[in-house]
């Protein structure tokens, strides 16, 4: 499935979480992104994760144990994954580039896609 579509499904999943889980998720992801930006290699990133643990920082920030943070993030990630899988089964991304270029007599690098629910019969999408 298209990477951008998966990102959209993930953002939607996070938006549907309870507000406390959203805050925790965004807090940890932001810290991990900062560490990733400081890293030149995967090994360096892993070292920074150990040294500047986002989970430990989140535990201190939210006043919870590190174990509680890990468990909560695990639940959040499972919920996001479940949401993405459900959405992926419900939608299809159809490449309509050729159809659009033929009808408009355009050529080029521009692509056109249709996001459709999988409930539509295949013969109705042309």
């Amino acid at each position: 499935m298209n990477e951008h579509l998966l990102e959209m499904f993930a953002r939607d999943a996070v938006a549907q979480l309870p507000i406390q889980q959203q805050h925790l998720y965004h807090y940890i992801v932001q810290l991990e992104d900062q560490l990733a930006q400081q890293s030149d290699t995967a090994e360096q990133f892993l070292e920074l994760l150990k040294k500047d643990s986002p989970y430990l920082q989140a535990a201190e920030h939210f006043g919870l144990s590190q174990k509680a943070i890990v468990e909560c993030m695990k639940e959040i990630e499972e919920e996001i994954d479940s949401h993405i899988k459900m959405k992926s089964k419900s939608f299809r991304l159809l490449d309509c580039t050729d159809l659009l270029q033929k009808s408009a007599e355009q050529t080029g690098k521009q692509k056109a896609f249709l996001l459709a629910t999988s409930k539509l019969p295949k013969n109705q999408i042309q």
Side-chain angles (χ1 to χ4, degrees), residues 55-56 59 64-74:
Y55 285 77
L56 182 58
L64 298 169
S65 70
Q66 189 171 355
K67 181 180 178 181
I69 295 294
V70 169
E71 289 174 5
C72 190
M73 278 301 287
K74 189 175 185 179

Side-chain angles (χ1 to χ4, degrees), residues 50-116:
K50 290 177 189 175
K51 180 181 159 229
D52 302 323
S53 172
Y55 285 77
L56 182 58
Q57 291 182 53
E60 292 171 1
H61 179 80
F62 291 101
L64 298 169
S65 70
Q66 189 171 355
K67 181 180 178 181
I69 295 294
V70 169
E71 289 174 5
C72 190
M73 278 301 287
K74 189 175 185 179
E75 289 175 16
I76 291 169
E77 289 168 349
E78 287 172 357
E79 182 67 30
I80 292 170
D81 186 52
S82 173
H83 185 88
I84 290 171
K85 285 178 181 175
M86 180 193 67
K87 289 283 189 175
S88 295
K89 290 178 183 176
S90 300
F91 289 91
R92 287 182 291 177
L93 192 62
L94 305 171
D95 187 349
C96 300
T97 305
D98 292 340
L99 181 64
L100 182 67
Q101 288 176 348
K102 287 177 186 175
S103 67
E105 295 190 19
Q106 297 177 350
T107 59
K109 296 181 181 178
Q110 192 171 18
K111 298 269 186 192
F113 294 94
L114 172 67
L115 181 62

Side-chain angles (χ1 to χ4, degrees), residues 1 5 8-9 86-94 113-126:
M1 180 156 285
L5 188 58
M8 185 177 73
F9 291 161
M86 180 193 67
K87 289 283 189 175
S88 295
K89 290 178 183 176
S90 300
F91 289 91
R92 287 182 291 177
L93 192 62
L94 305 171
F113 294 94
L114 172 67
L115 181 62
T117 66
S118 60
K119 295 177 183 175
L120 291 175
K122 290 183 181 180
N123 61 357
Q124 287 187 357
I125 304 174
Q126 306 234 350

